[in-house]
């Protein structure tokens, strides 16, 4: 009898966590995506390139400077639960694919905003690397995605409106 | 710092000419967050989204590594560091090493 109660309580706590993660996590994800879309719309005037070359640099202003940004995001409990099933059957894990892309977009936006705050209108040599902090890929139950962004900000005389995403 | 050191992750700086190469400069740091932050991060892992504590950790590490690299550049008498690269490695669970390196050079305004 006692064992049955313990099992029922355990299962219902597990289900409750999944439902809570589904509801709250979904809300957090949608909010972030909407926020990203809005910021990307506002930052379309910056010239982005991932080449080492400075496109038509404008002299006289402040010299080029390195800008950095980093983002660490995690998938919610519900999506990780689904991913574990996907790992059993194999195939593309869509939730992680979306999450990595989101982290990259966020890092890029931070680089752009960082450069704009300092008065620059162009970025070159944009690098977005994923890193492993604290062995997060091995720790039990924890999995997060860390993206490091590095770029050089400069003044360009040909900065014209263009797509804010490079990937 | 008496004068600003130019730091870029490109090979050259427009409007400037490299007149002397001083060599490779580097800086690294290993940092960890206090346990409270780790617990907060694992709770946040339920809902997902950004783990601010870890983002901050990376930002601080980067600043520290870059500061150490610049200190070396200054000792060598360079006024710019070009082609800066960052790498990280997981040292132990919850701590990460951030390594910054670049080439220290002396630049002069072109004409």
């Amino acid at each position: 009898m006692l064992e049955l109660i313990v099992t029922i309580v355990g299962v219902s706590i597990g289900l409750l966590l999944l439902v809570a993660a589904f509801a709250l996590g979904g809300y957090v994800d949608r909010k972030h995506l909407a926020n990203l879309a809005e910021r990307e719309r506002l930052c379309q005037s910056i010239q982005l390139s991932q080449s080492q070359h400075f496109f038509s640099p404008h002299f006289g202003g402040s010299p080029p400077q390195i800008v950095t940004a980093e983002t660490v995001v995690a998938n919610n409990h519900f999506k990780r639960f689904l991913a574990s099933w996907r790992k059993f059957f194999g195939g593309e894990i869509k939730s992680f694919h979306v999450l990595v892309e989101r982290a990259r977009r966020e890092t890029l936006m931070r680089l752009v905003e960082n450069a704009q705050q300092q008065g620059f209108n162009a970025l070159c040599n944009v690098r977005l690397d994923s890193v492993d902090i604290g062995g997060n890929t091995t720790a039990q139950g924890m999995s997060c995605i860390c993206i490091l962004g590095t770029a050089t900000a400069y003044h360009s005389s040909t900065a014209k409106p263009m797509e804010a995403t490079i990937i | 710092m008496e004068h600003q050191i130019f730091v870029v992750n490109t090979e050259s700086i427009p409007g400037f000419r490299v007149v002397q190469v001083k060599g490779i400069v580097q800086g690294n740091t290993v940092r960890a967050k206090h346990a409270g932050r780790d617990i907060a991060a694992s709770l946040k892992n339920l809902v997902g989204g950004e783990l601010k504590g870890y983002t901050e950790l990376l930002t601080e590490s980067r600043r520290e590594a870059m500061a150490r690299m610049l200190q070396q550049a200054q000792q060598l008498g360079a006024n710019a560091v070009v082609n800066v690269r960052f790498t990280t490695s997981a040292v132990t669970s919850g701590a990460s090493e951030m390594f910054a390196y670049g080439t220290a050079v002396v630049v002069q305004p072109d004409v």
Side-chain angles (χ1 to χ4, degrees):
Chain A
M1 190 61 198
L2 189 71
E3 269 177 38
L4 187 72
I5 292 171
V6 169
T7 315
I8 289 171
V9 167
V11 167
S12 47
I13 286 177
L15 279 176
L16 200 72
L17 280 179
L18 277 179
V19 171
F22 174 71
L24 290 171
Y27 171 72
V28 168
D29 291 357
R30 281 193 299 278
K31 215 173 83 173
H32 189 208
L33 283 172
N35 174 274
L36 268 176
E38 174 64 16
R39 280 153 72 203
E40 278 171 358
R41 203 177 57 74
L42 290 175
C43 290
Q44 276 183 1
S45 62
I46 202 149
Q47 185 173 308
L48 286 174
S49 88
Q50 46 91 261
S51 133
Q52 286 239 354
H53 185 72
F54 291 89
F55 294 103
S56 48
H58 176 74
F59 301 105
S62 44
Q65 208 195 323
I66 198 166
V67 288
T68 58
E70 39 281 304
T71 314
V72 182
V73 289
N75 238 349
N76 62 53
H77 181 58
F78 179 71
K79 283 184 173 167
R80 275 203 309 279
F81 173 73
L82 290 188
S84 63
W85 279 100
R86 176 54 82 193
K87 275 183 220 161
F88 181 75
F89 292 108
E92 187 185 23
I93 308 176
K94 213 167 168 205
S95 64
F96 275 98
H97 152 79
V98 171
L99 185 71
V100 179
E101 195 178 274
R102 225 174 83 196
R104 290 230 165 83
R105 280 169 70 191
E106 175 68 38
T107 312
L108 187 64
M109 279 336 284
R110 284 183 184 171
L111 282 176
V112 166
E113 282 160 1
N114 212 329
Q116 278 186 333
Q117 263 168 26
Q118 296 177 63
F120 294 105
N121 67 359
L123 280 178
C124 71
N125 205 8
V126 176
R127 301 277 165 226
L128 299 171
D129 307 308
S130 71
V131 299
D132 181 13
I133 55 163
N136 59 58
T137 46
T138 51
Q140 267 287 318
M142 276 286 274
S143 63
C144 53
I145 287 152
C146 320
I147 306 287
L148 281 190
T150 316
T152 296
Y154 67 107
H155 296 282
S156 169
S157 52
T158 58
K160 53 182 186 295
M162 61 185 290
E163 281 299 311
T165 39
I166 53 162
I167 315 155
Chain B
M1 248 196 262
E2 330 94 64
H3 58 265
Q4 199 203 343
I5 292 189
F6 304 146
V7 188
V8 294
N9 72 340
T10 51
E11 279 164 18
S12 61
I13 307 175
F16 291 89
R17 196 161 45 94
V18 174
V19 291
Q20 202 186 347
V21 178
K22 294 286 190 182
I24 296 170
V25 285
Q26 50 183 265
N28 77 338
T29 176
V30 180
R31 293 181 91 87
K33 277 282 173 201
H34 57 83
R37 280 298 176 88
D38 284 337
I39 293 166
S42 56
L43 282 178
K44 188 76 205 289
N45 223 22
L46 180 72
V47 178
E50 181 163 14
L51 306 175
K52 288 223 171 66
Y54 287 147
T55 305
E56 249 169 55
L57 176 77
L58 283 174
T59 311
E60 284 167 15
S61 307
R62 197 110 88 137
R63 205 173 295 151
E64 186 67 43
M66 198 134 94
R68 286 180 184 163
M69 182 185 74
L70 287 180
Q71 206 182 355
Q72 266 191 23
Q74 217 161 21
Q75 276 170 6
L76 288 173
N79 66 357
V81 183
V82 296
N83 218 359
V84 173
R85 298 273 176 268
F86 290 95
T87 59
T88 58
S89 54
V91 178
T92 100
S93 158
S96 69
E97 187 212 16
M98 177 72 73
F99 179 53
Y101 59 110
T103 305
V105 293
V106 177
V107 292
Q108 260 177 13
D110 217 359
V111 187

